Amino acid sequence: MVNKFFSFLLSFLLLIAPTASSGEQLFNQYCIGCHINGGNIIRRAKTLKLAALQKNGILDATAISAIATQGKGSMGAYGALLGPDGADAVGEWVWQQALTNWPS
């Protein structure tokens, strides 16, 4: 009986755990207001487009995750809002979008 309960609990936790799309979901919840389609409505030169990221020394998903967590310049820190793995998920999703030129 105990094993069935733990099996059920593990299945439930896996079901509600962040998924590959959680980066997109978190981006849409917290980031899209300023970064719609990879742009930047506050600082036009600091977009999430690949050329701008590279120009600003942001060369991978880890760098994006660090900025999302700690903030940089006029962008605030979102680490607490994104949760323990949220910044990494957002960073990876944004990097993939930048690599594919932010497809619609």
Side-chain angles (χ1 to χ4, degrees):
M1 184 70 164
V2 171
N3 284 341
K4 286 184 180 181
F5 173 74
F6 284 115
S7 178
F8 170 78
L9 182 60
L10 179 60
S11 297
F12 176 74
L13 291 175
L14 289 173
L15 183 67
I16 64 169
T19 62
S21 66
S22 68
E24 180 179 10
Q25 293 168 350
L26 290 168
F27 181 87
N28 287 336
Q29 185 173 0
Y30 296 110
C31 312
I32 203 165
C34 293
H35 294 289
I36 191 163
N37 297 322
N40 187 330
I41 66 168
I42 306 296
R43 307 248 346 248
R44 292 182 189 195
K46 303 274 184 168
T47 71
L48 301 176
K49 309 288 182 162
L50 186 59
L53 291 171
Q54 292 172 332
K55 179 180 178 184
N56 291 301
I58 302 164
L59 305 177
D60 58 21
T62 303
I64 296 168
S65 174
I67 293 170
T69 301
Q70 302 163 0
K72 184 175 180 181
S74 60
M75 182 177 148
Y78 284 81
L81 290 172
L82 295 173
D85 298 321
D88 290 338
V90 168
E92 187 60 42
W93 186 81
V94 167
W95 184 248
Q96 290 305 311
Q97 298 306 300
L99 291 174
T100 56
N101 202 28
W102 286 85
S104 298

